[in-house]
Amino acid sequence: MKKRNIKALSITELASAITGLDEQRHRSDQILQWLYQKGVTRFDRMTNLSLELRRLLDKRFVISSLEQIEETHSNRDQSAKYLLRSEAGTLIETVLMESRGYQTICISSQVGCPLRCSFCRTGTGGFERNLRSDEILNQVLHLKMNRIEPRHRFNIVFMGMGEPLLNLENVTKALEILNSQHAFALAQKRITLSTIGFPDIIERLTASPLKFGLAISLNATTDRSRRKLMPQAAGIGETLQAAESFARNRRMRATLEYVLLSGVNDRPEDARRLADMTHGRPFKINLIPFNEWDGAPFKRPTEARIDRFVKILLPRAPAVTVRRSQGTDIDAACGQLRMRRERCRD
Ligand code: SAH
């Protein structure tokens, strides 16, 4: 019998696998603690389970993990990029950032990305596959066990490679375990999922018990220019409506990310339209000056253009911040992650 991947099970699937072995349900909570709080990679380390159960688990299941292939540190800031490899040989990029005492893990949900937004380097490499839920969780676990001080709080952003809502099943499985008291125990404010925004999927997530913050990559103020930049994006009106309902339901603001592209979407009329469409709504706007990459068809606006945009926006829009991207020198910043095609095996 082929062994099952225990970290790819949802909490309910794990519980029924354990009760199916004639064990009490709370054993599955103990297993979650070993896997995600203590980070063990062998069943014989799970010392509060009977020897018999540990042997049985070892016969039926494997515990997956990611191996670190490369670690690159920025010379300019406190960010580092990690190249991690799964058992199948898939290479995954994860970024760890630090600012003002907070550590944030930026995780990938897919290898490559099928969206092909014209300003994003990830899209230029095409799409390879969805990451499994255990591959998403193991990115967090790898950094938590190896690079984050024990008991130190950290944040997670789904802003690495891929579009999380196009890998919904694995992403929601991972979110459930990130939230669980027996596993990562991360509160709503510690997790942000960034998406181009599929309104129907956002509505479904609004109705779910999953706890996370929502960020929408808006990037334009007319449907026409949004479509041009992001061919798979839905209309702005319905996208903002879905984000607003999500935010009101969770009693929080949704973030609107807006990549500033010189001469394309950073003109005074763009700033005015952005202020109009967000005025009085539960949003915060996060402006991201474009991070340039080789061959990119766009330029980063000058500081003067960024200032002009902010000055028009500020008086009427809800909270506005300018993201000073970290890791630009190591290609770790927003939109700079690129798919590595080589698959190395030892
Ligand atoms: N697919 C999801 C997750 C990717 S997050 C999404 O689109 O939200 C990546 C964020 O970085 C998005 O807000 C995207 O608009 C932004 N981005 C992409 N390329 C960029 C670039 N070259 N410079 C700055 N921001 C970029």
Side-chain angles (χ1 to χ4, degrees):
M1 194 168 62
K2 193 170 177 293
K3 291 187 181 187
R4 293 175 79 188
N5 177 349
I6 196 163
K7 284 182 179 166
L9 301 182
S10 69
I11 292 178
T12 323
E13 287 166 345
L14 178 64
S16 54
I18 297 307
T19 49
L21 297 174
D22 277 341
E23 289 283 339
Q24 290 174 316
R25 195 197 177 286
H26 79 274
R27 296 283 173 219
S28 69
D29 296 339
Q30 290 173 313
I31 294 171
L32 287 173
Q33 286 159 5
W34 284 111
L35 292 176
Y36 301 112
Q37 295 185 353
K38 305 198 180 74
V40 303
T41 49
R42 287 168 44 178
F43 291 106
D44 60 9
R45 298 271 158 80
M46 301 186 175
T47 48
N48 59 1
L49 306 180
S50 69
L51 259 183
E52 198 191 330
L53 177 56
R54 281 184 256 165
R55 287 206 187 109
L56 199 54
L57 290 170
D58 193 41
K59 268 200 209 141
R60 304 275 172 102
F61 296 101
V62 287
I63 303 177
S64 68
S65 60
L66 295 174
E67 185 194 348
Q68 185 170 310
I69 300 295
E70 210 176 275
E71 172 172 4
T72 323
H73 285 263
S74 166
N75 291 321
R76 295 193 201 142
D77 54 55
Q78 298 275 62
S79 64
K81 184 165 74 172
Y82 295 85
L83 186 65
L84 306 172
R85 182 174 62 181
S86 75
E87 285 87 349
T90 299
L91 296 172
I92 304 172
E93 289 192 57
T94 308
V95 178
L96 181 64
M97 299 168 282
E98 194 173 330
S99 87
R100 287 180 250 109
Y102 278 99
Q103 280 176 305
T104 300
I105 307 175
C106 176
I107 56 177
S108 296
S109 56
Q110 299 183 310
V111 185
C113 184
L115 292 180
R116 296 195 172 275
C117 302
S118 56
F119 49 84
C120 180
R121 186 193 207 182
T122 303
T124 63
F127 173 63
E128 189 171 320
R129 69 168 173 91
N130 284 333
L131 290 178
R132 295 187 316 259
S133 60
D134 62 300
E135 293 169 322
I136 297 173
L137 291 167
N138 279 334
Q139 296 172 58
V140 181
L141 196 58
H142 179 83
L143 291 175
K144 174 177 140 149
M145 299 310 295
N146 298 298
R147 292 292 178 275
I148 292 179
E149 296 285 311
R151 282 179 290 282
H152 204 94
R153 283 175 191 271
F154 58 88
N155 300 319
I156 293 184
V157 291
F158 282 81
M159 293 187 192
M161 268 195 200
E163 168 49 50
L165 298 192
L166 291 181
N167 184 13
L168 193 62
E169 190 181 328
N170 289 303
V171 166
T172 51
K173 257 187 192 178
L175 282 170
E176 194 191 20
I177 290 173
L178 291 171
N179 286 156
S180 166
Q181 284 310 311
H182 303 294
F184 291 93
L186 289 165
Q188 170 170 284
K189 64 174 183 209
R190 304 229 160 262
I191 306 176
T192 303
L193 183 146
S194 178
T195 172
I196 68 164
F198 299 93
D200 52 330
I201 302 180
I202 293 174
E203 274 166 34
R204 261 192 280 157
L205 289 170
T206 303
S208 82
L210 296 168
K211 291 178 281 179
F212 61 94
L214 185 66
I216 302 281
S217 298
L218 183 64
N219 299 339
T221 54
T222 64
D223 283 343
R224 196 156 162 266
S225 69
R226 189 163 196 253
R227 260 291 155 89
K228 222 165 141 194
L229 295 171
M230 306 159 71
Q232 307 215 31
I236 292 175
E238 48 176 334
T239 303
L240 292 188
Q241 194 49 53
E244 177 167 0
S245 305
F246 182 94
R248 292 201 187 281
N249 178 279
R250 300 283 198 285
R251 298 178 194 287
M252 67 195 302
R253 288 170 192 246
T255 302
L256 304 181
E257 296 160 288
Y258 193 95
V259 179
L260 287 168
L261 307 166
S262 189
V264 175
N265 65 1
D266 68 340
R267 296 157 307 176
E269 62 266 36
D270 295 304
R272 279 192 286 273
R273 277 194 295 262
L274 187 55
D276 287 343
M277 65 178 70
T278 55
H279 181 72
R281 303 176 76 178
F283 297 137
K284 46 189 173 185
I285 299 174
N286 193 201
L287 302 172
I288 317 174
F290 178 61
N291 296 312
E292 297 186 353
W293 40 273
D294 276 351
F298 301 104
K299 286 261 165 289
R300 182 192 189 100
T302 58
E303 289 300 317
R305 288 183 76 97
I306 298 173
D307 274 356
R308 182 181 66 177
F309 195 89
V310 171
K311 283 210 176 82
I312 300 172
L313 194 57
L314 257 185
R316 298 199 46 242
V320 178
T321 50
V322 180
R323 187 186 300 175
R324 296 294 165 188
S325 290
Q326 294 198 18
T328 45
D329 58 330
I330 52 167
D331 284 347
C334 294
Q336 291 188 324
L337 296 181
R338 148 180 64 163
M339 181 158 42
R340 309 243 187 166
R341 289 241 174 234
E342 77 272 23
R343 289 165 158 267
C344 38
R345 265 187 214 255
D346 293 334

